[in-house]
Amino acid sequence: MSPQEPKKNPGEPKKNPEPSGVDLARVALRAAKEAARARGDAAQQKKQARRGGGLRSGARADGRDPMALGSAINRLITERGWEAPAAVGGVMGRWPQIVGEDVAKHCEPERYDEDERVLTVRCDSTAWATNLRLLAPTLVARLNEDLGHGTVRQIKVMGPGGPTRRYGPLRAPGSSGPGDTYR
């Protein structure tokens, strides 16, 4: 330490050096450029408005450009909170890839209850319904891996629907259907 330098106290706060003339000139130049750019943008908009063309999008992308369809749909899904139902809808479209071709031929998803997080699947025979009930825990894990944890809590497996009830000459009046003993 030379005798001309003042002694520094460790407890004394450090002083920031004053900006030099070059730094001040850079700051002033940057402010002038921004102000000129703002004046130029305003003048350009006024000129376009006078020509009757209104505001038009130029060669570069800006906020006035139309949004791509995919982006608009994704934005709508996010704003409305439809992420889970949309993801499950995607699963219904990819059902054969998720469960396999054999299972997909005999079982198909019918609906998804978002509140209870239950996926309902209808099978074309009771044998396939039993098979799918045995596969349900594995399938729930695979679906949650694909969709996010907890999206599907349970798979409700439905067997084939009963025959449609028809009215006609072969139906006994007052009977309750094919299982009726006609007493």
Side-chain angles (χ1 to χ4, degrees):
M1 186 184 280
S2 67
Q4 290 134 353
E5 290 181 26
K7 292 183 182 178
K8 295 180 183 177
N9 277 340
E12 187 177 316
K14 296 179 182 178
K15 294 180 182 177
N16 289 334
E18 293 288 324
S20 68
V22 174
D23 292 333
L24 291 173
R26 284 187 186 139
V27 170
L29 179 62
R30 188 178 310 127
K33 282 183 178 180
E34 288 175 8
R37 187 176 299 121
R39 282 192 309 271
D41 288 345
Q44 183 71 19
Q45 287 177 357
K46 284 181 185 178
K47 190 185 298 183
Q48 285 180 347
R50 268 187 260 133
R51 280 189 279 176
L55 297 176
R56 289 180 287 173
S57 179
R60 292 187 211 121
D62 64 6
R64 297 171 289 163
D65 288 339
M67 186 181 293
L69 181 63
S71 300
I73 289 174
N74 288 338
R75 183 172 149 195
L76 180 68
I77 287 172
T78 303
E79 286 175 355
R80 302 288 173 117
W82 294 339
E83 287 93 355
V88 173
V91 163
M92 291 184 179
R94 295 179 292 124
W95 184 250
Q97 290 87 16
I98 293 172
V99 298
E101 293 294 328
D102 279 347
V103 176
K105 287 179 188 174
H106 301 283
C107 306
E108 65 180 28
E110 281 193 344
R111 66 182 164 271
Y112 174 71
D113 184 359
E114 187 179 357
D115 296 331
E116 298 196 18
R117 298 182 186 165
V118 175
L119 179 65
T120 304
V121 179
R122 174 134 347 243
C123 297
D124 62 359
S125 70
T126 54
W128 277 103
T130 302
N131 190 20
L132 195 65
R133 283 187 190 99
L134 294 172
L135 291 173
T138 307
L139 203 56
V140 167
R142 190 178 305 165
L143 288 169
N144 283 329
E145 182 180 305
D146 191 34
L147 300 172
H149 182 68
T151 304
V152 177
R153 288 186 186 163
Q154 179 184 2
I155 294 179
K156 183 177 178 183
V157 181
M158 308 290 286
T164 58
R165 296 185 180 206
R166 297 185 200 156
Y167 295 96
L170 299 178
R171 183 167 167 96
S175 72
S176 61
D180 194 355
T181 55
Y182 304 109
R183 293 186 212 181

